[in-house]
């Protein structure tokens, strides 16, 4: 699971302009591993084309083996890209990012 986070570990609002993205391994309803990556997509978003930005995101998702994204906002182009990759977008909740990921997993299982 991937989710945008802020420097304090709270769920962040936007996917394509995230500065930090956390990768969570969820096992049996608990976060088994949590790693925060400084992707700086907020800085690189407007440098180059949308295609080059999406390529950076695709590379990151593939390198991390991401199977779902937990976020409250994704632009139309990014939604199409994630859909093409077969990566579902799950709803984020405000506050603690790990709790948001667990809530999204629970939501997806209902």
């Amino acid at each position: 699971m991937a989710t945008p986070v802020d420097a304090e570990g709270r769920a962040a609002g936007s996917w394509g302009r995230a500065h930090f993205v956390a990768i969570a391994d969820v096992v049996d309803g608990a976060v088994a591993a949590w790693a925060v990556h400084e992707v700086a997509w907020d800085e690189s978003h407007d440098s180059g084309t949308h295609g080059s930005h999406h390529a950076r995101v695709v590379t990151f998702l593939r390198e991390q083996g991401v199977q779902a994204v937990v976020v409250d906002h994704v632009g139309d182009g990014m939604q199409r890209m994630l859909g093409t990759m077969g990566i579902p977008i799950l709803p984020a909740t405000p506050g603690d990012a790990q709790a948001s990921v667990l809530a999204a997993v629970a939501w997806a299982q209902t």
Side-chain angles (χ1 to χ4, degrees), residues 1 24-33 102 105 109:
M1 311 284 286
D25 289 329
V26 178
V27 178
D28 296 329
V31 175
L102 293 177
V105 169
Q109 293 175 343

Side-chain angles (χ1 to χ4, degrees), residues 1-5 10-16 18 20-26 31 33-37 39 41 57-74 81-82 85 87-93 97-98 100-102 104-105:
M1 311 284 286
T3 191
V5 297
R10 293 184 307 259
S14 181
W15 174 251
F20 299 102
V21 172
I23 301 297
D25 289 329
V26 178
V31 175
W34 183 263
V36 176
H37 301 265
V39 294
W41 295 336
V57 175
V58 166
T59 298
F60 176 79
L61 294 173
R62 286 185 175 154
E63 287 174 348
Q64 299 301 317
V66 171
Q67 297 176 354
V69 171
V70 178
V71 65
D72 69 350
H73 173 74
V74 178
M81 183 203 72
L82 292 169
M85 293 180 72
I87 296 177
I89 301 168
L90 305 178
T93 53
Q98 289 190 34
S100 177
V101 166
L102 293 177
V105 169

